[in-house]
Amino acid sequence: MTASPFKSYLATLALLMAAGALLAGAFVAVVDPYGLYGFVLRDGFNAVKPGLTRYQNQIKQELALRRRPQFIILGNSRAEIGFDPRASALSALGAGYNLAIPGTGLATSASQFAQLRQAGVQPRTVIVGMEFIDFLNPAAAPAARPVAATTAPAPARAFWRFDTLFSLASVKDAVHTLRIQHDAQAATLTADGFNPLLEYGAHVRRDGYHKMFAQRAQESAANLRRKSTRGLATEDFHALRAFLLAMAATQADIKLVIYPYHAQMLAMFEAAGLWPLFDEWKAGLILAMGAVKAQYPDARISLTDFSGYGVYNCERIPAANERDSATRWYWEAGHFKKALGDIVLQRLMSPTTGAPGDGQFGMPLDGASLAQNRARIAQERGACAAAQPALFATQLLATQDSHSGGRR
């Protein structure tokens, strides 16, 4: 008895679909857009990897586990874009990996460290970018949510590994990988997790830095409008202490970094009424460190403040008609360039090393130095305001506009 033509058709179709899936998977595995397989790594073919647009945490975590880094960098997009693990200041530490993920906070950093520890990877040095905005409460209490509407758990390893091999999105990323090998303006990610932000080069050549800063200022004003000026989130300090305790238990050298916000961003903190909380936040970080050191007296934890209005932070923003003018230290107020990140890392590793004329950029903070640090920033502000008075007036108006919905 012969099979019906319909059954033969279904069998052929199933074989063709299976063959297509296997071919697609083989194509993705060979091109390797996420760096997960390593079958082929060839200049001009797939050596340049595209920036991650999905499974960022999972892929970075997987690559970090394979590298078994001696030091790691944690934080948000400021850290991912600003801190290069291959910076000369970090060369003596051995292999490193930048685990920073845009738009994430302490919970992600703590989870990343815990996963490394569970896998037997204990970095000797941990550099953590501290984000002031993450510790702010929302201006309005969030609406009550049903119990069922909780955050979805991270996808299981088997699922995301399958999806990064057998999916149309992965095929598209593989094709994109082939296209960007000779594109100096493509979004990429290095093998050690650093984002050089090459795509911004095309934006500034087209629009100029003034527009980049203006757009970021509008976004920041809208974000700050949603924050309360009445107090910090105490639960975030509890999470910080737990995270510090976990790191201290491994005897890691913990280096907390207050980002080098551009003066434009700090002026917006002032205009939004957040400056007292900024001071309070720094004191809270010091208290959290002290609580951990009380439990682990030999713990190596440092906090360095790179915020302020110094010569780097107060970099001049090109005017709207200066389309060809470039900045040296900042892409816009939200993100500093690798050039400044390298200086930050140098100060972290050699706190006493300074460049002539840059003041006290990178001031170690503890209970005894808080007042001195406050005086430093006030002095820097005076010099910055004298050099760029419009910067402070403009940010005040921008923040007021954001609070009034653009009506004056």
Side-chain angles (χ1 to χ4, degrees):
M1 184 176 180
T2 59
S4 69
F6 182 68
K7 289 183 178 180
S8 298
Y9 168 77
L10 290 179
T12 302
L13 181 61
L15 287 173
L16 288 174
M17 291 178 64
L22 289 174
L23 285 173
F27 174 65
V28 171
V30 171
V31 177
D32 198 10
Y34 314 121
L36 293 171
Y37 306 106
F39 298 127
V40 178
L41 185 63
R42 186 180 303 164
D43 290 340
F45 175 65
N46 69 340
V48 177
K49 303 299 184 184
L52 297 175
T53 57
R54 61 196 191 113
Y55 300 123
Q56 296 177 62
N57 192 22
Q58 290 81 5
I59 292 173
K60 276 199 164 186
Q61 192 75 34
E62 183 84 4
L63 297 178
L65 286 171
R66 295 182 186 182
R67 183 173 287 261
R68 303 188 71 84
Q70 297 301 303
F71 72 90
I72 57 174
I73 297 168
L74 303 172
N76 57 19
S77 61
R78 305 188 209 279
E80 186 190 50
I81 291 166
F83 297 148
D84 185 355
R86 298 186 186 182
S88 59
L90 304 176
S91 59
L93 298 180
Y97 196 86
N98 187 327
L99 274 162
I101 304 290
T104 62
L106 274 180
T108 297
S109 296
S111 174
Q112 290 172 326
F113 183 83
Q115 290 180 57
L116 289 177
R117 187 179 179 185
Q118 290 169 5
V121 179
Q122 295 190 2
R124 294 199 300 262
T125 302
V126 183
I127 299 170
V128 187
M130 303 304 299
E131 179 59 72
F132 165 60
I133 298 174
D134 288 347
F135 284 72
L136 296 173
N137 285 308
R145 293 181 178 181
V147 176
T150 56
T151 303
R157 184 175 185 273
F159 174 82
W160 73 259
R161 286 304 301 265
F162 180 86
D163 195 45
T164 53
L165 184 62
F166 297 105
S167 69
L168 288 177
S170 298
V171 172
K172 288 175 62 178
D173 286 342
V175 172
H176 182 60
T177 301
L178 299 178
R179 289 175 176 170
I180 67 172
Q181 294 308 301
H182 302 287
D183 185 353
Q185 300 176 359
T188 63
L189 193 74
T190 67
D192 40 24
F194 172 63
N195 178 3
L197 208 64
L198 299 178
E199 66 272 25
Y200 263 38
H203 296 323
V204 297
R205 279 188 287 274
R206 182 183 65 246
D207 300 326
Y209 277 95
H210 181 88
K211 185 174 181 179
M212 298 280 287
F213 273 84
Q215 289 178 340
R216 177 61 62 177
Q218 291 174 357
E219 294 169 3
S220 297
N223 186 29
L224 295 178
R225 179 184 58 189
R226 296 189 288 269
K227 303 300 181 182
S228 171
T229 61
R230 297 183 178 180
L232 297 168
T234 56
E235 61 271 18
D236 288 331
F237 285 105
H238 295 322
L240 174 60
R241 292 190 192 99
F243 182 28
L244 291 176
L245 283 170
M247 290 188 289
T250 68
Q251 301 181 331
D253 184 5
I254 307 163
K255 298 182 182 295
L256 305 182
V257 180
I258 296 177
Y259 292 120
Y261 300 102
H262 188 274
Q264 184 188 62
M265 182 70 74
L266 295 188
M268 297 187 77
F269 288 172
E270 291 184 27
L274 295 169
W275 196 263
L277 291 183
F278 194 38
D279 271 342
E280 183 182 332
W281 174 68
K282 294 176 184 180
L285 298 182
I286 293 172
L287 287 175
M289 291 167 52
V292 174
K293 288 183 178 180
Q295 187 165 342
Y296 291 95
D298 296 328
R300 294 176 294 165
I301 311 175
S302 65
L303 172 64
T304 309
D305 188 3
F306 291 93
S307 71
Y309 296 95
V311 293
Y312 300 116
N313 313 82
C314 197
E315 182 176 28
R316 178 180 175 274
I317 303 171
N321 61 350
E322 296 177 314
R323 296 281 296 275
D324 296 329
S325 295
T327 58
R328 183 178 181 183
W329 308 119
Y330 290 87
W331 291 108
E332 21 78 358
H335 297 97
F336 52 96
K337 295 182 177 182
K338 167 182 159 56
L340 186 55
D342 286 352
I343 295 174
V344 169
L345 296 174
Q346 180 63 46
R347 298 298 166 83
L348 282 181
M349 304 311 299
S350 304
T352 59
T353 301
D358 71 357
Q360 294 174 299
F361 183 69
M363 187 168 182
L365 276 192
D366 56 26
S369 64
L370 263 176
Q372 181 186 355
N373 188 57
R374 193 177 298 115
R376 167 189 71 87
I377 294 177
Q379 183 179 13
E380 291 175 353
R381 188 193 185 283
C384 185
Q388 299 193 62
L391 187 152
F392 293 86
T394 301
Q395 300 324 308
L396 176 60
L397 290 174
T399 308
Q400 288 175 342
D401 278 353
S402 71
H403 280 275
S404 63
R407 298 183 299 274
R408 286 204 301 267

